[in-house]
């Protein structure tokens, strides 16, 4: 209640700091929401006006082509403005959610980070190009890698590595791209990657798979089976693999780039 909260705020403790910080960030988010709600209402009104004018113009042969071109140009401007406004709202929510989901969500052993900045299209496109390997392409079975290089990608500078993965009892081995998340205790694999490992021959009736990742056995969870939209169908390399493999994971920062390396030993 208010009296209890008031007493907490008088004390110098971590909870007080959290409450103050939460209130400050939520107020910022709420004000942005109100401001952009007004923008969206104005955009909707303008859109309806232009739509009515366009409907009248296209059915009137006396109106010149320039009038229709003008209206279409205004539609494009309006569409861009709408997109920008919605993007502001989405980014504002993401900033708020990323900061506080760690306090208010305990449904997943994955860290609180949102992975919506990495998409399957990027995995098959830009990320494949940067890693020099096609996503989910075949890898020679039992070909152990003693060292790999990673990349930093996206607006959140995700650390991404490519590792050979196969099912414990199947020979089909593929190059799978993982986001390295040291805040996650668990390794996750996407449904798309899982189906590819099964060569699209099976129905996934389980939420976990026994994998060999660079020949290290590991029980991985299927991202979409965890009912956690933060994972967004990506593959997450968690602490369980880092510990099981005993790998040496290092990042060397320079002004131009990051040198990301994973070294493995069979011993």
């Amino acid at each position: 209640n208010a009296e209890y909260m008031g007493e907490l705020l008088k004390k110098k403790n971590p909870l007080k700091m959290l409450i103050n910080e939460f209130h400050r960030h939520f107020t910022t988010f709420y004000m942005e929401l109100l401001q952009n709600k007004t923008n969206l209402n104005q955009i909707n009104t303008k859109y309806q006006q232009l739509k009515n004018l366009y409907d009248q113009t296209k059915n009137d042969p006396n109106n010149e082509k320039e009038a229709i071109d003008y209206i279409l140009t205004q539609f494009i401007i309006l569409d861009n403005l709408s997109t920008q406004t919605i993007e502001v709202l989405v980014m504002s929510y993401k900033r708020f959610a990323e900061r506080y989901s760690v306090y208010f969500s305990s449904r997943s052993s994955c860290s609180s980070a949102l992975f919506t900045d990495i998409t399957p299209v990027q995995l098959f496109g830009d990320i494949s190009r940067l890693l020099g390997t096609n996503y989910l392409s075949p890898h020679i079975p039992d070909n152990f890698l003693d060292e790999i290089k990673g990349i930093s990608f996206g607006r959140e500078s995700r650390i991404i590595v490519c590792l050979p993965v196969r099912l414990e009892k199947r020979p089909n081995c593929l190059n799978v791209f993982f986001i390295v998340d040291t805040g996650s205790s668990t390794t996750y694999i996407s449904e798309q990657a899982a189906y590819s490992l099964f060569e699209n021959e099976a129905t996934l009736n389980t939420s976990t798979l026994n994998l060999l990742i660079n020949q290290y056995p590991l029980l991985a969870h299927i991202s979409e089976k965890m009912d956690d939209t933060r994972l967004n169908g990506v593959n997450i390399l968690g602490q369980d693999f880092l510990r099981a493999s005993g790998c040496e994971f290092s990042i060397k920062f320079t002004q131009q780039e990051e040198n990301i390396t994973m070294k493995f030993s069979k011993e």
Side-chain angles (χ1 to χ4, degrees):
N1 57 36
E3 183 179 352
Y4 173 71
M5 294 295 286
E7 289 299 318
L8 280 177
L9 289 172
K10 292 177 183 177
K11 300 176 182 180
K12 292 183 178 180
N13 56 36
L15 183 57
K16 174 189 173 182
M17 294 170 62
L18 173 60
I19 292 171
N20 283 334
E21 186 181 26
F22 177 85
H23 180 266
R24 179 167 58 86
H25 283 274
F26 181 78
T27 300
T28 301
F29 167 67
Y30 185 67
M31 293 304 294
E32 289 181 357
L33 184 64
L34 289 179
Q35 178 183 349
N36 284 284
K37 182 181 178 181
T38 302
N39 290 347
L40 287 173
N41 288 337
Q42 292 174 349
I43 288 170
N44 184 60
T45 301
K46 183 67 173 177
Y47 173 80
Q48 291 300 328
Q49 292 173 349
L50 280 171
K51 185 177 184 302
N52 293 337
L53 181 59
Y54 177 67
D55 289 339
Q56 296 170 11
T57 303
K58 71 177 182 179
N59 296 320
D60 186 349
N62 296 322
N63 281 283
E64 297 181 354
K65 180 179 179 299
E66 287 77 8
I68 297 178
D69 289 342
Y70 168 77
I71 294 172
L72 291 176
T73 301
Q74 293 302 308
F75 268 125
I76 294 173
I77 295 173
L78 184 62
D79 181 65
N80 290 336
L81 180 59
S82 302
T83 301
Q84 292 169 8
T85 302
I86 292 170
E87 285 177 350
V88 169
L89 280 174
V90 170
M91 290 306 299
S92 178
Y93 171 75
K94 283 181 179 180
R95 287 196 303 270
F96 179 77
E98 284 178 348
R99 192 169 188 87
Y100 294 105
S101 59
V102 66
Y103 298 112
F104 305 121
S105 175
S106 58
R107 298 174 65 188
S108 169
S109 60
C110 188
S111 74
S112 63
L114 292 163
F115 295 101
T116 52
D117 57 313
I118 303 295
T119 67
V121 173
Q122 292 171 319
L123 292 174
F124 284 100
D126 291 340
I127 297 174
S128 289
R129 178 177 54 81
L130 291 170
L131 284 172
T133 303
N134 289 329
Y135 181 52
L136 299 182
S137 61
H139 184 90
I140 301 173
D142 301 326
N143 181 25
F144 178 81
L145 301 179
D146 56 8
E147 182 175 336
I148 61 169
K149 298 289 186 181
I151 62 169
S152 173
F153 183 85
R155 66 172 181 269
E156 301 295 338
S157 298
R158 306 292 186 193
I159 302 301
I160 302 177
V161 298
C162 174
L163 286 167
V165 178
R166 70 177 179 88
L167 294 166
E168 197 171 51
K169 297 181 179 181
R170 278 180 171 252
N172 184 37
C173 188
L174 301 177
N175 290 304
V176 178
F177 300 165
F178 289 93
I179 298 174
V180 181
D181 182 11
T182 58
S184 173
S185 60
T186 305
T187 291
Y188 296 87
I189 191 165
S190 69
E191 274 191 341
Q192 183 178 36
Y195 276 119
S196 297
L197 290 170
F198 277 108
E199 299 178 275
N200 299 313
E201 295 177 357
T203 301
L204 295 176
N205 296 319
T206 179
S207 62
T208 59
L209 291 174
N210 289 309
L211 301 178
L212 291 175
I213 303 178
N214 200 23
Q215 298 190 31
Y216 294 102
L218 194 75
L219 181 69
H221 293 262
I222 300 174
S223 303
E224 289 81 355
K225 300 288 186 180
M226 300 308 295
D227 192 27
D228 191 335
T229 56
R230 291 178 298 177
L231 301 177
N232 194 39
V234 295
N235 309 296
I236 308 295
L237 202 65
Q239 295 176 23
D240 51 355
F241 174 79
L242 300 177
R243 294 180 186 278
S245 65
C247 73
E248 181 183 321
F249 176 45
S250 64
I251 306 175
K252 183 178 180 181
F253 291 93
T254 66
Q255 291 184 347
Q256 290 77 27
E257 60 182 1
E258 299 87 27
N259 187 2
I260 302 162
T261 306
M262 272 189 175
K263 294 181 180 180
F264 302 93
S265 173
K266 286 187 176 182
E267 297 179 0

